[in-house]
Amino acid sequence: MTEKYTANQLDILKEVINIGGGNAATSLSKLLDKKVNMKVPTIQEMSYDVVFEKIMPADTIVKAVQIQTSGDMAGMFLFVLNEFGFNDITTELLRGYEESQEIAESAVCELVNILVNNFVNAIAKFLELDIQTDVPYIMEDMFGSLLTSAYLEEFQYDENLWVFKNEYWIEDNKWESSLYFVPQDEILENIISKIK
């Protein structure tokens, strides 16, 4: 899997993810009426052990919003938050409103729905792709279980995995969250061929 993509192809994929993530950051900025910055997206091949060492320990309890995509970019988006990230985001979203667990989770789902759809729409327009998104679903589990399940659901059975991750800062404060894209097999090759 290490030689699956050339450096040039990875640059192309990074630019595509950058376009989608930048569009999502703009929509988030308008929604919150605050400055939103996005770190240069991560596109890197890692073993599961390295992911759990460098990104987050496998046994960390997280909340994750899952959105399935179909069409020319079939796969799954995962918006992963630890406890601090969930609290920061819900405090921001529900400022001035009475907060409950159900309302907080619903607000986060709607936020991720907006992020992902703006992300997908930008890529679809740029590459003239047909992409559909499903309804968001929130769950809580260990990070390792959620990530492993996501890759298996998308028919990714390799010992290593490609990590596509975007991170966002709200007025220079990093939210403890990351947006991941888990593609189905051969989807990345199709995207690269569209750019060619």
Side-chain angles (χ1 to χ4, degrees):
M1 193 169 172
T2 305
E3 298 177 356
K4 190 170 185 179
Y5 305 108
T6 66
N8 185 51
Q9 288 173 326
L10 287 177
D11 286 341
I12 290 170
L13 289 172
K14 184 177 288 187
E15 185 56 32
V16 170
I17 298 297
N18 196 43
I19 289 168
N23 206 59
T26 299
S27 68
L28 185 59
S29 178
K30 290 178 181 177
L31 177 69
L32 299 176
D33 195 25
K34 291 189 174 184
K35 181 182 177 183
V36 176
N37 293 316
M38 182 188 76
K39 188 176 180 180
V40 175
T42 297
I43 298 182
Q44 189 175 357
E45 183 189 28
M46 301 180 186
S47 68
Y48 283 95
D49 289 344
V50 172
V51 169
F52 301 141
E53 178 185 338
K54 289 190 173 182
I55 294 180
M56 187 182 295
D59 60 355
T60 304
I61 299 296
V62 297
K63 289 185 183 290
V65 179
Q66 171 183 314
I67 297 183
Q68 197 75 35
T69 59
S70 56
D72 293 330
M73 193 172 163
M76 180 192 301
F77 280 91
L78 275 178
F79 189 73
V80 178
L81 310 102
N82 65 15
E83 180 183 357
F84 300 107
F86 183 80
N87 291 338
D88 285 348
I89 289 176
T90 53
T91 297
E92 191 68 53
L93 292 174
L94 301 176
R95 193 177 299 277
Y97 293 89
E98 185 177 347
E99 185 176 331
S100 70
Q101 186 70 14
E102 183 179 356
I103 291 172
E105 290 184 353
S106 178
V108 171
C109 276
E110 186 52 36
L111 170 73
V112 177
N113 195 38
I114 292 168
L115 277 176
V116 169
N117 276 287
N118 278 277
F119 190 108
V120 164
N121 289 340
I123 292 174
K125 184 176 180 181
F126 176 62
L127 296 178
E128 298 182 352
L129 301 176
D130 179 27
I131 310 170
Q132 297 84 43
T133 59
D134 208 342
V135 178
Y137 174 80
I138 192 166
M139 63 202 107
E140 184 173 3
D141 203 340
M142 291 187 294
F143 177 63
S145 297
L146 288 170
L147 196 65
T148 302
S149 295
Y151 276 85
L152 292 177
E153 284 181 38
E154 301 309 317
F155 314 109
Q156 299 279 9
Y157 303 118
D158 292 298
E159 293 181 3
N160 291 348
L161 59 153
W162 285 97
V163 176
F164 296 78
K165 184 178 73 163
N166 286 80
E167 295 180 344
Y168 297 95
W169 273 256
I170 312 300
E171 294 192 338
D172 299 324
N173 295 317
K174 182 184 180 300
W175 278 4
E176 292 301 321
S177 61
S178 296
L179 180 65
Y180 296 84
F181 176 61
V182 183
Q184 286 187 7
D185 196 32
E186 298 184 359
I187 287 297
L188 300 182
E189 290 85 345
N190 293 341
I191 291 174
I192 290 171
S193 69
K194 287 280 185 181
I195 297 174
K196 289 179 179 178

